[in-house]
Amino acid sequence: MRVELKYGLVAGLLMSAWMLVEHLFGVHTVHLSAAPYTGIVGDLIPVVMLHLLLRHQLAALQRYWLPLWEGVLYGAAASLAAALVFYVFLNAYKFFLNPGWVDLQLEWRVAELRAAGAPEAQIREKLVGLRAAFGPVGLALTIPLYVLAGGAVSALLTLWLNWRHKEIPRAD
């Protein structure tokens, strides 16, 4: 199995496991206001896995630097694997483990918008958008976004790793 697929699968499984931990602590049922803060950990997991993947590729290929295009391709492939695993998990979570999760999220957002004094037309518009985003098609559309984001993060990480591992000039 290719290394980028391994790291992508591990990232997808770790993001899924983190979401289960959030569910066990009631972040998706009782403590909805904590979700934006705990979600940061779920966002950092793929970044850390991409960093580990690119470091592994530098060491495995015995290079001092990694071409940018290779880093982007490794990151995009790993991000695609992670996104597919997480997509399957999110649909299973939404339909089987916590079927009321989307409705709780929407109720919390409506209460938050009403407390902020938003007009009802804006609230309805926001609800339609959120419901579409949490639907199967909306979640499927996030897969290309994960791949693009993974490629962009991989480009930055590749540049950073290349800067940190400068090639030592030979004294001939």
Side-chain angles (χ1 to χ4, degrees):
M1 182 183 293
R2 295 188 54 100
V3 176
E4 54 270 16
L5 289 179
K6 287 181 188 177
Y7 279 88
L9 291 174
V10 169
L13 291 173
L14 285 175
M15 289 188 303
S16 303
W18 178 251
M19 194 163 183
L20 284 176
V21 168
E22 287 178 325
H23 176 69
L24 290 175
F25 284 111
V27 173
H28 297 163
T29 53
V30 180
H31 310 291
L32 291 171
S33 60
Y37 304 109
T38 60
I40 293 172
V41 174
D43 295 337
L44 287 177
I45 290 171
V47 173
V48 170
M49 293 307 292
L50 288 174
H51 180 262
L52 293 175
L53 166 67
L54 294 172
R55 261 189 31 202
H56 175 270
Q57 288 301 92
L58 270 172
L61 299 173
Q62 297 179 349
R63 294 181 174 172
Y64 289 107
W65 61 277
L66 187 65
L68 185 63
W69 65 271
E70 281 186 30
V72 170
L73 287 179
Y74 290 137
S79 298
L80 177 63
L84 291 173
V85 169
F86 195 58
Y87 171 76
V88 170
F89 171 78
L90 268 180
N91 278 306
Y93 180 81
K94 187 177 73 170
F95 289 114
F96 301 116
L97 295 174
N98 193 359
W101 175 55
V102 174
D103 293 328
L104 285 172
Q105 287 283 331
L106 293 176
E107 287 175 19
W108 178 69
R109 302 274 174 137
V110 166
E112 195 176 57
L113 288 170
R114 284 192 177 136
E120 287 298 315
Q122 182 185 8
I123 292 173
R124 271 188 243 113
E125 184 179 301
K126 194 80 141 167
L127 282 176
V128 169
L130 287 172
R131 188 154 306 274
F134 283 114
V137 174
L139 289 176
L141 290 176
T142 61
I143 293 172
L145 294 176
Y146 269 101
V147 174
L148 289 174
V153 168
S154 295
L156 294 174
L157 288 172
T158 302
L159 290 173
W160 184 69
L161 287 171
N162 286 341
W163 176 73
R164 300 247 354 228
H165 296 286
K166 292 182 180 174
E167 188 170 353
I168 301 169
R170 295 178 187 233
D172 289 326

